[in-house]
Amino acid sequence: MNLQAKVIYFNGIVQGVGFRPFVFKLAEEMGIKGWVNNSSHGVSIHAEGINLDLFYDRLLKEAPPLAKIVTARSVETELNKYVTFEIVQSKPEPDADVLISPDVATCGECLEDMVDLRNRHYQFPFTNCTNCGPRYTIIRDVPYDRAKTTMADFFMCESCAAEYKNPRDRRFHAQPVACEECGPTVQLRDVSGHLLPGIGVDQLSQGGILAVKGLGGFHLVCDARNVQAVRRLRERKERGAKPFAVMARTVERARDQVVIDAKAEELLRSSAAPIVVLERKLELTASLPEDIAPNLPTLGIILPYTPLHHLLFAGPYDFLVMTSANLSGRPLIYTNDEALEVLKEIADYFLIHNRDIYHPCDDSVTQVIGDEVVFLRRARGYVPLPILMSSRYVKTPLLAVGGEMKNAFCLASGQRAFVSQYLGDMEGYENLQRFQQELESFQRVVNITPKAIAYDQHPNYQLTRFALEQPCPKLPVQHHHAHLVSVLGEWDRTEPTLGVICDGTGLGEDHCLWGFEFLYGNALGYERKAHLEYLPLPGGDAGVKHPLRIAYAYLKTLLPEEAWLKTEVFWAALTVNERQILERQLETGFQVFQTSSAGRLFDAVSGLLGVCREVSYEGQAAIELESVAMRFGQQRRWDHQVNTKEDIRVNTKEEIKRKENMAGLYPYEVRVENAEYILGVGALFEAIVQDLLRGVSQGEIAYRFHQTIAQAIVDLALRLRVETGPLVLNGGVFQNKLLTEKILKICQEQGIKVLRSQMLPPGDGGLAFGQLLIANEVL
């Protein structure tokens, strides 16, 4: 057969994942001559041989596990008669178009090196290879070469250089490759700055709190079984009741505390290594302290994902609290100097190192809801992976700044959209600074310079002001419309679709605070088809910290006089002054905002039941309401299991029937106003009041409330002729596992197909993608 010559191009995540060594080995195996290199557009191959079609097919089918090929093409070229196959130097080119890999958890082979006394990477806290280690957090610019990462200042020793240059070695061109002789070093310091031996294992064992520099920033760490250490950390960090994440030594140890199914285990062990929110086991004899996740039946579990994490587990503990190191409401701390200064009132010791972090990046947080992975926070391990849009094309490079809460921005050009890592809430100057810093550096990584901007139409948001100051075309986007379109974009759907958007707040077209919305539309526009009835929110967004006040305002507005008088017993926790102010506000309308928010509805029920009356973190009242409902559901399942195992004669038929029916639906009303369906909840609250007065438990009422809202959502969708669907569910309220799974169950029974977020959080972390798609139709 005659020799052929072809140039092969691969674009996608093909740098920093062992792609060139893979090409080299396959070429050797098949007798192919030529070369392979990294370029600013991915990987380029010049191949000469007699079976190039098979070579091309195998490159596609057998690519390294971390590689993600987006586009591939093969073009015939001139035969140069190469006699070898080589990996050649990267070529600098303008208009870089290469995808960067997210950071990757330590692989099994590197872990084996760390425990092998004969290996020069034995117990080295920064060991890595082409299959694992830092990527996005250390890159300054593309292409992904060592000189353009924060490893540039670490000159390789002879042994590391030999591995780096050897295409048959798994550390070939692993940009962060290093060892104890030439790589980064760790230091343990006390609050006075004095150097201490070790890495803090003894200090953790004795109840100390460590600030540990990780892949994307600092964590605050303590022994999770040490009640005093956990309590001290919570008090010093002023964290209120917000739950801590827990790092478990292994999946097996984690299984002692939480329920782990196959999908959750796959997530925990994945290369992204996110935090996974899991249900705590009932009837534990040695459970972790309640103070780790107060009032919650779940724990956020994460496995060690860096060599340093694995070394920390040399101590006599199986669980470590591992929480982001930042002061309340401020950005994640990621530099040594800031950590030593800002965290000295929280941490007892500092475990720092001299490999700089260029892109600060929190841990991602996930939960399995309805058998699908849902992002509660998308960051390390997933960013900067793109969303690929086959049926859309972004003509003008765009920026969408996202929401004010749980912010992530989005850049897009062509058929790729890149959503940034979670950046937190945008209140305060420091947070805006971090947003601007990441926006500037993210543009280099994804090679997109925006020419127009989309932003939330709320006039008082900090990012609205930022967007308006930029010298380019800009478009305000309604909050819930963006939520709808975000999911449609993920599913690559352009047809008008009915969506249920339930969240805390978003400014509506009528200047009320929306949040329980049935919208029909797509990126071109929308119609509001139905919503929760408007109810008074004293203090507006600031009032959300006081669920009992919200409950007072709602019941005062909704209940008939006779029913209202029966609620007197529920307001004992309100001072006389609070009640007087509330009464005056409701009479005059001063600082009272009309809202249809689902989040505030859940807050009101939580406050009324006494589940949560003062909020110390965003969403707390609704989260704790779901928790008491989940505990009730868990107990019902537990009782059911016990009853089926024991002699059923212990229960009469009447008792069995009562237990089956005791969590039925509350009443609600659907009416029509101005051609829109309105969900009325006066009867619902009146029934809840009656249950409270009868002594029905918090858990049963909360459970029935969730069931009722789930049924009401599907009922309204059916009235709007959703029929077989699809029906979009989006917004932060659908991070509520109990509610969402009940809706999914009813939809399945009704034959309704449901579309939910797949790659982005349902909350405001996915908002920017929807803003961008809407702007793309206008700008």
Side-chain angles (χ1 to χ4, degrees):
M1 295 178 67
N2 294 331
L3 285 177
Q4 299 173 289
K6 289 189 177 182
V7 178
I8 301 169
Y9 301 97
F10 289 111
N11 181 266
I13 297 179
V14 290
Q15 294 188 13
V17 292
F19 201 91
R20 288 176 300 166
F22 156 69
V23 174
F24 177 86
K25 291 172 188 174
L26 185 61
E28 274 200 332
E29 176 191 328
M30 296 185 65
I32 305 295
K33 312 302 179 185
W35 51 261
V36 59
N37 77 350
N38 277 348
S39 73
S40 295
H41 296 274
V43 165
S44 300
I45 303 166
H46 181 101
E48 298 183 355
I50 59 173
N51 204 348
L52 296 187
D53 288 342
L54 178 61
F55 179 59
Y56 181 69
D57 287 343
R58 289 188 64 184
L59 288 173
L60 288 170
K61 292 175 182 175
E62 300 172 22
L66 295 180
K68 287 184 172 57
I69 297 170
V70 175
T71 59
R73 60 191 179 97
S74 174
V75 181
E76 289 190 6
T77 190
E78 184 180 343
L79 189 69
N80 288 337
K81 296 186 179 179
Y82 289 103
V83 295
T84 60
F85 192 91
E86 297 179 359
I87 297 174
V88 298
Q89 188 71 25
S90 299
K91 293 169 60 179
E93 301 173 76
D95 301 323
D97 181 26
V98 63
L99 300 181
I100 300 303
S101 167
D103 300 277
V104 182
T106 309
C107 71
E109 288 180 288
C110 282
L111 289 178
E112 290 176 6
D113 290 349
M114 288 178 64
V115 297
D116 182 356
L117 281 165
R118 298 164 300 177
N119 193 291
R120 64 192 194 86
H121 298 95
Y122 174 70
Q123 292 195 344
F124 180 54
F126 302 96
T127 191
N128 65 88
C129 67
T130 54
N131 299 318
C132 68
R135 299 288 192 276
Y136 171 65
T137 53
I138 64 169
I139 189 168
R140 291 191 173 102
D141 206 345
V142 292
Y144 177 65
D145 282 327
R146 190 180 182 100
K148 294 187 177 182
T149 73
T150 60
M151 287 294 295
D153 294 337
F154 295 95
F155 299 99
M156 283 181 277
C157 66
E158 188 174 326
S159 297
C160 284
E163 289 179 336
Y164 184 85
K165 294 173 183 176
N166 181 1
R168 295 175 181 82
D169 194 288
R170 79 173 199 277
R171 291 188 171 92
F172 174 77
H173 277 238
Q175 304 308 336
V177 69
C179 67
E180 282 193 351
E181 184 177 333
C182 63
T185 56
V186 295
Q187 292 183 344
L188 180 66
R189 295 178 178 268
D190 63 19
V191 289
S192 301
H194 298 129
L195 280 173
L196 302 173
I199 61 169
V201 171
D202 291 341
Q203 287 78 3
L204 287 170
S205 303
Q206 295 161 15
I209 297 171
L210 264 67
V212 178
K213 188 176 183 181
L215 264 185
F218 275 83
H219 287 104
L220 290 165
V221 183
C222 71
D223 179 357
R225 286 202 185 276
N226 189 314
V227 176
Q228 289 75 27
V230 173
R231 188 168 298 143
R232 273 201 326 277
L233 177 55
R234 183 168 294 284
E235 290 170 354
R236 290 181 185 178
K237 199 168 186 279
E238 298 179 355
R239 194 171 172 86
K242 193 172 184 179
F244 289 133
V246 174
M247 183 172 280
R249 181 187 294 273
T250 62
V251 168
E252 290 69 35
R253 292 282 68 78
R255 216 182 291 277
D256 295 339
Q257 298 290 324
V258 292
V259 179
I260 304 176
D261 63 15
K263 185 154 287 190
E265 182 170 350
E266 183 182 348
L267 259 180
L268 286 167
R269 295 186 186 275
S270 70
S271 62
I275 296 169
V276 184
V277 177
L278 297 163
E279 189 177 303
R280 297 178 87 153
K281 287 186 173 178
L282 293 174
E283 308 296 321
L284 283 178
T285 55
S287 62
L288 294 171
E290 174 68 16
D291 222 23
I292 287 177
N295 305 318
L296 300 183
T298 55
L299 281 176
I301 299 291
I302 190 170
L303 296 183
Y305 59 85
T306 71
L308 190 56
H309 291 153
H310 287 277
L311 292 174
L312 284 175
F313 275 98
Y317 36 72
D318 289 325
F319 300 95
L320 293 172
V321 167
M322 190 75 55
T323 188
S324 298
N326 63 306
L327 299 184
S328 182
R330 288 166 62 179
L332 176 68
I333 292 169
Y334 68 101
T335 67
N336 294 337
D337 290 344
E338 186 181 10
L340 291 166
E341 177 59 31
V342 174
L343 299 177
K344 61 186 178 185
E345 302 298 325
I346 301 176
D348 303 313
Y349 306 95
F350 295 84
L351 186 59
I352 61 177
H353 61 73
N354 58 344
R355 185 181 69 199
D356 289 341
I357 296 167
Y358 196 72
H359 294 279
C361 207
D362 262 302
D363 293 322
S364 294
V365 183
T366 60
Q367 187 172 19
V368 177
I369 300 177
D371 294 325
E372 298 294 337
V373 177
V374 173
F375 283 99
L376 309 185
R377 183 168 76 198
R378 180 180 177 272
R380 180 194 50 77
Y382 299 96
V383 175
L385 293 175
I387 299 172
L388 305 177
M389 304 173 289
S390 62
S391 62
R392 290 176 172 84
Y393 191 87
V394 177
K395 305 174 291 296
T396 302
L398 291 174
L399 162 68
V401 299
E404 198 79 350
M405 307 291 286
K406 296 180 170 58
N407 178 262
F409 59 81
C410 182
L411 290 164
S413 182
Q415 292 184 295
R416 294 179 190 167
F418 298 87
V419 179
S420 76
Q421 69 269 34
Y422 162 89
L423 295 175
D425 299 341
M426 287 295 109
E427 296 175 351
Y429 177 66
E430 288 176 319
N431 298 320
L432 181 61
Q433 276 188 313
R434 178 63 56 82
F435 172 91
Q436 291 173 306
Q437 168 191 316
E438 285 306 301
L439 175 59
E440 189 272 331
S441 60
F442 201 72
Q443 290 178 56
R444 290 198 302 275
V445 170
V446 302
N447 192 37
I448 295 175
T449 302
K451 306 299 183 185
I453 299 179
Y455 61 95
D456 193 288
Q457 69 179 15
H458 197 301
N460 297 328
Y461 284 170
Q462 186 158 231
L463 291 181
T464 298
R465 293 191 289 271
F466 165 81
L468 292 174
E469 290 168 359
Q470 306 310 306
C472 63
K474 49 194 75 79
L475 180 77
V477 177
Q478 201 283 321
H479 188 91
H480 302 96
H481 185 202
H483 271 307
L484 170 65
V485 175
S486 179
V487 173
L488 296 180
E490 283 198 56
W491 286 87
D492 212 22
R493 182 179 173 87
T494 57
E495 303 90 339
T497 307
L498 180 66
V500 185
I501 314 301
C502 291
D503 63 2
T505 189
L507 187 66
E509 305 288 0
D510 57 3
H511 301 289
C512 293
L513 302 178
W514 292 6
F516 197 139
E517 310 303 317
F518 290 72
L519 306 182
Y520 180 77
N522 57 13
L524 291 168
Y526 73 95
E527 296 177 72
R528 191 187 195 196
K529 294 291 189 180
H531 61 87
L532 178 68
E533 64 180 313
Y534 283 133
L535 292 164
L537 179 61
D541 288 343
V544 302
K545 295 185 181 296
H546 306 283
L548 189 59
R549 296 181 190 175
I550 300 172
Y552 187 96
Y554 280 19
L555 268 64
K556 179 72 173 177
T557 301
L558 290 168
L559 298 189
E561 183 65 21
E562 184 180 349
W564 168 251
L565 293 175
K566 294 177 183 177
T567 68
E568 184 65 29
V569 66
F570 305 137
W571 317 123
L574 295 175
T575 66
V576 173
N577 189 46
E578 278 182 295
R579 290 188 62 174
Q580 287 175 343
I581 292 172
L582 284 169
E583 290 285 353
R584 185 64 177 157
Q585 284 184 290
L586 293 171
E587 286 174 14
T588 64
F590 178 72
Q591 284 296 300
V592 173
F593 299 82
Q594 295 301 306
T595 183
S596 60
S597 164
R600 301 298 78 80
L601 178 66
F602 279 72
D603 290 351
V605 175
S606 186
L608 178 62
L609 269 56
V611 172
C612 178
R613 289 175 171 168
E614 293 292 331
V615 166
S616 61
Y617 64 91
E618 199 260 334
Q620 179 183 351
I623 290 168
E624 292 187 1
L625 182 70
E626 179 196 9
S627 296
V628 298
M630 284 180 64
R631 282 199 174 103
F632 176 79
Q634 285 175 329
Q635 193 61 51
R636 288 179 73 200
R637 292 197 303 273
W638 179 269
D639 291 344
H640 176 73
Q641 291 168 3
V642 170
N643 287 337
T644 54
K645 291 176 184 176
E646 295 178 356
D647 187 351
I648 197 67
R649 288 175 298 177
V650 299
N651 287 316
T652 65
K653 288 183 180 179
E654 291 76 14
E655 178 69 8
I656 294 169
K657 188 173 181 180
R658 189 192 74 81
K659 287 187 175 182
E660 287 173 347
N661 295 330
M662 66 181 179
L665 299 180
Y666 285 120
Y668 55 87
E669 174 197 8
V670 177
R671 59 183 185 269
V672 178
E673 295 178 6
N674 301 319
E676 294 175 350
Y677 284 110
I678 306 298
L679 175 61
V681 290
L684 181 149
F685 274 107
E686 196 166 350
I688 288 176
V689 166
Q690 290 170 1
D691 271 357
L692 283 170
L693 293 173
R694 289 191 300 112
V696 178
S697 71
Q698 282 182 339
E700 183 175 341
I701 295 171
Y703 192 84
R704 290 182 67 187
F705 171 73
H706 279 78
Q707 280 191 313
T708 302
I709 297 304
Q711 186 63 58
I713 285 172
V714 180
D715 282 354
L716 274 166
L718 289 170
R719 287 174 189 249
L720 293 167
R721 302 185 182 280
V722 71
E723 296 172 351
T724 59
L727 176 67
V728 168
L729 299 180
N730 207 23
V733 168
F734 293 116
Q735 293 175 345
N736 182 316
K737 180 179 172 72
L738 179 62
L739 175 72
T740 303
E741 290 185 342
K742 288 195 173 298
I743 294 171
L744 293 174
K745 183 174 184 292
I746 300 169
C747 285
Q748 185 179 34
E749 292 167 354
Q750 295 286 341
I752 301 170
K753 181 182 178 181
V754 173
L755 304 182
R756 295 187 289 153
S757 292
Q758 306 171 96
M759 295 172 279
L760 299 172
D764 284 1
L767 194 71
F769 182 48
Q771 291 174 342
L772 187 139
L773 294 178
I774 293 166
N776 188 50
E777 298 294 336
V778 177
L779 295 174

